[in-house]
Amino acid sequence: MKRLPYLWLKGQAVVWLLFGRSAQAMDVFQQMVQRYPQEPYPRASRAHLHAQAGRHAQALEDFEALLQLQPEDARTWFNKGFVLEQLERWDEALAAFRRATDFTPKLDRAWYGQGLVLIRLQRFDEAIVALKRNTELQPMSPHGWYQLARVHVDRKQPDEAVKIIRHLKGFEPKVAAQLERETGLLVGGTGP
């Protein structure tokens, strides 16, 4: 029974992670990747541990190997994009985030990632489109709204930023206040 040793190792890794022992979990994932190279779970787990530890190049290797196993997995494309963004490889990160949304159009984090990279590339029109899509998918998350307001301020569109700040006051007043301080746009009331 080949699955039993696999499940035993997986269980060990999970226990190590529950106790915050990522180095020991990494050792188990290393064994699993060597013994079961076609299994996505151990490689994905190892990649996440690498990324959390700031070992982005190693994480990228694992995500690329994962995409060989499952080329249409939007989460893996997103994770690859995230790591590429950390490595400041903007064009490649953008391409990975776009692949993620090609496979899963409702993956809000990938739209947000696109927005951030497009801001870095100073492609503001495209960043607005990506961030608007993110806020449609995650209307109660302040992150996309915050970045969208910042882009409008940078583009000398204070009226659009004011609308967003007013909107944020309705559910994230601290973020709205932060934007007011950062932009100098003082907004009274809530609603559109």
Side-chain angles (χ1 to χ4, degrees), residues 17-32:
L17 289 172
L18 286 173
F19 286 103
R21 308 289 298 267
S22 58
Q24 288 81 1
M26 177 64 88
D27 290 341
V28 176
F29 290 133
Q30 300 278 35
Q31 291 176 47
M32 292 177 76

